Amino acid sequence: MQKVKKVFSAVMAVITAALFIFGFAVFVSVMRAAGGQIPSVLGYSVMQIQTGSMEPEYEIGTVIVTKKTDAVKLKKGDVISFYSTDSLISGKVNTHRIVSVRYDDEGYPIFMTKGDANQAADRMEVDSERIIGKVIFNLGTVSGSVISVLQNPKVIFFLIVLPLIFITFGEAVNLVTMIAANREAKKFGSDKNDNEKPNDK
């Protein structure tokens, strides 16, 4: 029974640590969203296509998931989301396909991108620091209002961060209680054995 409790305590400790790390990651994403950046949790971001530049693969309203990827691993044909420097779209987030790659004097990749439905490539190149991530999932079309709600920092905090804080705190309390009970049981067992030990003559 004691072994089972120890295993259970170890598992709960791992779960608690994982919840704390995840909660911290979500909290960081909330702070980034509040600062005007796309929320990211453990490198993953959820966005919605706003224009028809990537049709027919990504129609207007399509929800995509991007993953933060090392720029040197990106290649021609990959679809990436990035903060555009094109003044025509006011530096907003853009999602286009990489059509060519070149390298600067220090060996860092610089990408030329293009919308699948566009006749010409984008006017401005994309450096690695402006890349949000590589598109890895297409979740289909979802109402824009739903995405707006889910990306609201207050909604993220109250629906994800706050519950995680309570869960983590609760599991931590349970773990401490279990450890204390286990120590008390061992002490009681030790005292009992001492009382039962016969006196030497």
Side-chain angles (χ1 to χ4, degrees), residues 135-149:
V135 177
I136 58 172
F137 289 122
N138 178 345
L139 301 180
T141 304
V142 179
S143 169
S145 59
V146 174
I147 296 299
S148 298
V149 170

Side-chain angles (χ1 to χ4, degrees), residues 54-168:
M54 285 299 292
E55 291 181 342
E57 184 170 357
Y58 301 103
E59 299 178 349
I60 296 176
T62 299
V63 176
I64 57 173
V65 177
T66 67
K67 180 182 179 181
K68 186 65 176 177
T69 305
D70 191 338
V72 298
K73 295 182 180 180
L74 296 173
K75 61 185 183 301
K76 181 179 178 179
D78 289 338
V79 178
I80 59 173
S81 293
F82 54 92
Y83 297 103
S84 175
T85 56
D86 191 335
S87 59
L88 294 180
I89 58 175
S90 303
K92 294 181 179 179
V93 174
N94 204 357
T95 298
H96 279 174
R97 193 179 303 277
I98 296 173
V99 294
S100 65
V101 184
R102 70 177 183 86
Y103 297 86
D104 62 18
D105 296 337
E106 297 181 355
Y108 293 104
I110 298 177
F111 306 94
M112 178 60 71
T113 55
K114 174 183 175 296
D116 290 352
N118 293 345
Q119 295 297 319
D122 298 335
R123 298 193 311 160
M124 306 300 293
E125 293 179 310
V126 183
D127 59 51
S128 58
E129 294 181 354
R130 305 191 71 81
I131 296 175
I132 298 170
K134 175 184 175 181
V135 177
I136 58 172
F137 289 122
N138 178 345
L139 301 180
T141 304
V142 179
S143 169
S145 59
V146 174
I147 296 299
S148 298
V149 170
L150 292 178
Q151 288 188 337
N152 186 307
K154 292 182 180 179
V155 173
I156 294 176
F157 179 79
F158 285 106
L159 293 185
I160 300 179
V161 177
L162 198 58
L164 279 176
I165 291 175
F166 282 116
I167 292 173
T168 302

